[in-house]
Amino acid sequence: MKKLIPLLLPVLVAAAFAPAAASAQDLKVALIAGKTGVLEAYAKETETGFMMGLEYLTGGKMEINGRKLKVIVKDDQSKPDLGRTLLAEAYGDDKVDIAVGTSSSGSAIAMLPVALEYKKVLIVEPAVADAITGDKWNRYIFRTARNSTQDAAAAAAVSPAGSYAFLAQDYAFGRDGVKAAKVALAAAGRKTNVVHEEYAPQTATDFTASAQRLFDALKDKPQPRVLSIVWAGPHPMNKIADMKPERYGITLAPNGNILPVLKTWKNFGGTEGTIYYYYAFPKNKMNDWLVAEHTKRYKAPPDMFTAGGFAAASAVVTALTRAGSGDSEKLVAAMEGMEFETPKGKMSFRKEDHQAIQSMYHFRIKKQQKSEWDLLELVREIPASEMPVPVRNKR
């Protein structure tokens, strides 16, 4: 028996230290964003918000359950093929426990099958297309971003009866946005008539022909005549306004946008719309910290996608904390129905499709703007209960 002790001792020592070694392993998160290309501004805001969120939620330690948190950032340039490749690289080569991304709905949709192939969680932020949590969804997909239907339902809640036409980008975000808007307008119970849909390239800069077709479709229809613009990136509203749609009794209805775009809408004082986030609207401790700290560091308040990145960080930290590890099945179990705090307030992942259920905001563009960033006034917060979002996957 004595002869066995020297042989067993190294094994017992190794076993004793194995849990400690495993617990000391880094937790790895990939953040994929379109940092170059048409959605560059969105991606930069998302990254800033994500890193500030991790800082806030870990008390600056960048640790979860005693394990260091490592973030790997990748630029997919809003290209679907590249997004798919980078996510596979993150799961396969970098061995990340969880991934977040991306800016473009087209790229995000291309990434969804990769999450299924590797059986790894992907939190979609900030891509909006309904298909992500709809017919393209799989059980490893969670989304902190709002979807097109949430955008549309919020807009429909403040839209009058009348004649509508849409200008949108010719890719997943634009087409899903218009489809959702039409359904939401019909569901709102007011008499509306959608007379035309116009789709332009994502990088379009000349809207002369598109605008004329929209004007021609609307000009003889019952009033009010509303031209709704569903657009991501550099916004065409000022260019459309320069063509004087008011000649035909047409008013413009923009979707919410980032602060640099909102700053260019001074001439539309009194115009109302809906938005995912505006820094002055939510009243909670987390948003107070984000606004104060972001303004201190960057000399400007946080923007729409800054808040989105922060929300994704909160989902990551909450999930990894609850799961106790980066194991995918434990993460999925922890995240289904999970509530987590964000700068907008509490969100929760719906069990059926993992879409984050959240409130939206009805705004009015201020006629009197007291400072560079004093742009919007709150009409009211629209609770999630007023925005019914159907489950569209095949679960």
Side-chain angles (χ1 to χ4, degrees):
M1 197 64 186
K2 289 181 181 180
K3 291 182 180 179
L4 291 175
I5 291 175
L7 295 174
L8 287 173
L9 189 59
V11 177
L12 294 171
V13 170
F17 281 96
S23 67
Q25 265 187 336
D26 290 345
L27 288 165
K28 295 182 181 179
V29 182
L31 175 65
I32 300 175
K35 295 177 65 173
T36 52
V38 69
L39 300 180
E40 176 183 341
Y42 295 7
K44 289 182 176 179
E45 288 182 8
T46 301
E47 183 179 359
T48 296
F50 188 71
M51 298 309 295
M52 290 185 72
L54 293 179
E55 176 188 347
Y56 176 86
L57 292 156
T58 64
K61 294 181 179 180
M62 293 296 283
E63 290 182 0
I64 298 175
N65 295 336
R67 297 171 65 180
K68 287 291 184 183
L69 191 59
K70 182 179 180 181
V71 179
I72 301 169
V73 181
K74 297 175 182 287
D75 176 15
D76 69 353
Q77 302 173 35
S78 293
K79 296 177 180 178
D81 288 348
L82 184 55
R84 184 167 49 241
T85 299
L86 291 178
L87 184 60
E89 179 183 277
Y91 289 146
D93 298 338
D94 300 323
K95 307 295 183 187
V96 301
D97 298 285
I98 193 167
V100 177
T102 181
S103 313
S104 162
S105 287
S107 186
I109 288 171
M111 289 161 58
L112 306 185
V114 179
L116 180 60
E117 178 186 350
Y118 282 87
K119 295 181 169 55
K120 290 279 190 177
V121 169
L122 170 64
I123 296 176
V124 176
E125 177 66 47
V128 173
D130 275 338
I132 293 166
T133 43
D135 65 312
K136 305 295 184 185
W137 177 87
N138 65 69
R139 67 188 297 270
Y140 298 100
I141 306 305
F142 291 79
R143 173 157 52 185
T144 48
R146 85 283 185 198
N147 64 22
S148 292
T149 291
Q150 287 168 311
D151 271 349
V158 306
S159 298
S163 304
Y164 284 77
F166 290 90
L167 171 64
Q169 287 162 310
D170 191 12
Y171 83 118
F173 166 74
R175 290 192 174 272
D176 270 20
V178 172
K179 181 181 178 181
K182 290 164 66 179
V183 172
L185 285 170
R190 289 182 289 277
K191 189 175 181 181
T192 57
N193 182 27
V194 177
V195 301
H196 188 66
E197 301 168 30
E198 185 74 21
Y199 297 95
Q202 192 177 2
T203 55
T205 56
D206 183 355
F207 300 94
T208 306
S210 292
Q212 195 57 57
R213 285 190 290 270
L214 288 158
F215 295 168
D216 288 344
L218 276 170
K219 64 183 181 182
D220 297 321
K221 298 300 184 293
Q223 292 189 341
R225 301 168 187 144
V226 181
L227 171 51
S228 181
I229 304 171
V230 182
W231 206 267
H235 205 277
M237 190 159 87
N238 283 312
K239 291 185 177 182
I240 303 297
D242 288 343
M243 299 176 219
K244 302 190 182 305
E246 66 274 13
R247 291 175 295 155
Y248 307 106
I250 298 170
T251 58
L252 302 181
N255 54 330
N257 217 297
I258 59 176
L259 293 172
V261 172
L262 295 178
K263 282 174 62 175
T264 70
W265 293 355
K266 271 191 174 183
N267 293 334
F268 303 101
T271 298
E272 296 185 11
T274 53
I275 196 166
Y276 164 82
Y277 171 88
Y278 176 70
Y279 72 93
F281 291 170
K283 303 299 180 185
N284 59 68
K285 183 179 177 182
M286 186 178 284
N287 192 58
D288 290 346
W289 181 88
L290 175 60
V291 172
E293 197 62 29
H294 193 281
T295 303
K296 177 182 174 182
R297 297 181 190 185
Y298 301 103
K299 313 305 178 188
D303 212 338
M304 210 161 59
F305 297 107
T306 322
F310 202 115
S314 182
V316 166
V317 172
T318 306
L320 287 171
T321 301
R322 290 189 178 186
S325 76
D327 177 81
S328 294
E329 297 308 315
K330 290 181 180 179
L331 284 170
V332 170
M335 294 172 75
E336 288 194 336
M338 183 181 81
E339 293 185 343
F340 52 102
E341 295 296 333
T342 81
K344 292 178 61 174
K346 188 169 290 184
M347 292 186 189
S348 62
F349 285 129
R350 186 165 59 179
K351 289 184 179 181
E352 293 83 354
D353 61 0
H354 304 171
Q355 172 62 50
I357 304 303
Q358 57 194 280
S359 61
M360 301 282 276
Y361 303 95
H362 178 185
F363 71 82
R364 183 182 297 115
I365 299 174
K366 287 189 175 183
K367 293 181 179 179
Q368 301 295 325
Q369 299 180 2
K370 298 176 183 178
S371 66
E372 182 181 11
W373 304 114
D374 181 36
L375 307 171
L376 305 179
E377 59 183 323
L378 178 65
V379 178
R380 75 180 184 104
E381 182 173 340
I382 306 170
S385 60
E386 293 184 22
M387 297 176 288
V389 180
V391 176
R392 291 195 172 96
N393 62 27
K394 298 176 182 178
R395 187 170 194 173

